[in-house]
Amino acid sequence: MNAGKIVTLGEILVEIMAQDVGQSFRSAGPLVGPFASGAPAIFIDQVAKLGHPCGMISAVGDDDFGWLNIERLKQDGVDVGAIAISEEYPTGSAFVRYRDNGERDFVFNIKHSACSKIAVDAAAERLLEDCGHFHVMGSSLFSFRMIDAMKKAIEIVKAKGGTISFDPNVRKEMLNIPEMRAALEFMLGYCDIFLPSGPELMLLTEAKDEASAIDEILKQGVQSIVVKRGAEGSSYHDGTTTLRAPPLLTKEIDPTGAGDCFGATFVTCRRLGRSIEESLLYANASGARTVTVRGPMEGASTFAELDAFISERRQAGASA
Ligand code: ATP
Ligand code: MG
């Protein structure tokens, strides 16, 4: 295995959330935040918290929202040398509100923020030189420029024998844009570890049921698929082994970030040589612990925190 950093490329945002469930954004109301955010940023922060060397290619504005993110990532151990600081554009943002039925609505400013400046420049190439594993978030493929940057990074990493993981993290609407579907299919063709949510498994295949979707994707050369199943845990499939990992039951406060922390923990554990079973257990714990904390990146965990969480949930389960 190619040792080296885990690297990702994509959006850095601040997230600002409506304080109360059911609160509208069409009138004034209390807001909470700004929180450090962006799916790839949450992913890489979780890798850093587990103590694995890592870095991120991105761009922020020269403003408080940008510095909040850079300082946070740096403090947690992420190499921030390939995060560009734009004089021209502000840091990206996402405002989120929660409906009474638990659904989330977002107001995003990504395309017209510093995120539009993300590129594989000299600093990014230096970081990719040390990269052993590269992670792609589908949510980062929001423009042709981003798709090109992602392809360039993948080619550099693959040429050096590195591996790729891919979390589609898409909304269905994105797939109606033909170029976007082509980009997602391209990423699937290159990835070693595929990390979809249950419904995303079906979106990228012609299959009518989950088992055939898994077969179809494995036949394309993907080595392993880990399906995220929210409050139902997760499962692992590589064509020979199928494992189902039960959830660590917990009270959901804020679901944002669970999938990102789950993926980061699974990938990191595998690169540290942990078994599939153990990696799934830690990934489930990481996702479950994230939903107990308000704020997208606030629930990222260290191994010590995951160990404590696992034994606490097991004791609670035993006495229930
Ligand atoms: P997102 O909607 O943020 O993209 P996702 O679909 O990528 O999320 P989820 O399946 O929601 O990811 O969550 C990832 C993992 O976190 C799950 O596979 C599970 O292990 C854990 N998890 C999420 N929600 C819960 C919950 N309510 N209880 C226990 N575990 C949970
Ligand atoms: Mg997700």
Side-chain angles (χ1 to χ4, degrees):
M1 190 194 289
N2 173 345
K5 286 182 176 157
I6 297 176
V7 175
T8 192
L9 178 157
E11 67 278 16
I12 287 180
L13 314 171
V14 284
E15 188 169 312
I16 296 168
M17 43 174 83
Q19 181 181 282
D20 303 314
V21 173
Q23 191 177 321
S24 162
F25 273 157
R26 297 209 178 184
S27 56
L31 303 172
V32 186
F35 290 106
S37 192
I42 298 167
F43 176 96
I44 212 68
D45 190 71
Q46 175 59 86
V47 173
K49 283 213 143 190
L50 295 174
H52 195 293
C54 61
M56 179 166 189
I57 301 165
S58 189
V60 295
D62 185 8
D63 50 36
D64 286 345
F65 289 171
W67 289 109
L68 173 154
N69 272 288
I70 290 189
E71 279 162 17
R72 168 63 184 278
L73 292 171
K74 195 171 167 189
Q75 179 195 319
D76 287 346
V78 178
D79 180 339
V80 296
I83 300 177
I85 296 163
S86 168
E87 298 293 332
E88 196 182 347
Y89 289 94
T91 302
S93 59
F95 287 76
V96 61
R97 72 180 193 99
Y98 296 85
R99 293 187 188 206
D100 291 323
N101 66 4
E103 274 179 42
R104 289 171 284 177
D105 287 320
F106 289 94
V107 178
F108 285 117
N109 173 28
I110 300 180
K111 263 188 154 176
H112 303 290
S113 75
C115 293
S116 67
K117 293 284 160 201
I118 298 174
V120 179
D121 58 11
E125 281 180 12
R126 271 198 303 279
L127 180 61
L128 291 170
E129 271 305 301
D130 297 334
C131 172
H133 182 89
F134 184 78
H135 181 73
V136 180
M137 277 291 179
S139 58
S140 307
L141 306 169
F142 54 79
S143 68
F144 288 118
R145 195 187 152 104
M146 284 297 280
I147 294 169
D148 283 347
M150 201 70 88
K151 287 182 177 173
K152 188 172 170 190
I154 289 175
E155 273 156 23
I156 294 173
V157 174
K158 277 270 164 186
K160 289 176 358 85
T163 48
I164 310 285
S165 50
F166 172 44
D167 178 346
N169 216 12
V170 281
R171 281 155 295 136
K172 213 171 174 178
E173 299 78 12
M174 279 172 78
L175 293 175
N176 297 333
I177 309 165
E179 295 79 5
M180 193 63 75
R181 179 178 272 278
L184 291 168
E185 282 168 2
F186 174 91
M187 300 304 156
L188 194 55
Y190 269 94
C191 84
D192 303 283
I193 305 178
F194 182 47
L195 295 153
S197 300
E200 288 168 345
L201 198 50
M202 310 298 289
L203 287 179
L204 290 172
T205 59
E206 303 294 324
K208 298 275 178 289
D209 60 77
E210 202 185 282
S212 350
I214 288 170
D215 273 356
E216 195 180 315
I217 293 168
L218 289 172
K219 283 204 184 92
Q220 288 179 39
V222 174
Q223 272 162 22
S224 51
I225 303 176
V226 185
V227 186
K228 292 170 282 174
R229 301 178 186 277
E232 285 164 25
S234 58
S235 62
Y236 171 93
H237 315 261
D238 65 11
T240 338
T241 308
T242 298
L243 288 172
R244 265 201 174 254
L248 286 120
L249 291 178
T250 192
K251 188 171 156 33
E252 190 168 303
I253 308 278
D254 177 7
T256 308
D260 312 330
C261 288
F262 175 98
T265 303
F266 184 81
V267 166
T268 304
C269 285
R270 292 298 285 149
R271 288 196 64 77
L272 292 172
R274 310 260 178 144
S275 69
I276 298 163
E277 287 87 345
E278 205 182 354
S279 303
L280 275 183
L281 169 65
Y282 276 113
N284 269 356
S286 180
R289 191 171 175 275
T290 305
V291 307
T292 65
V293 183
R294 198 165 211 211
M297 201 186 278
E298 308 313 303
S301 316
T302 61
F303 272 119
E305 285 166 336
L306 292 180
D307 284 329
F309 182 78
I310 291 168
S311 70
E312 178 215 295
R313 292 326 302 157
R314 281 186 171 154
Q315 273 167 21
S319 60

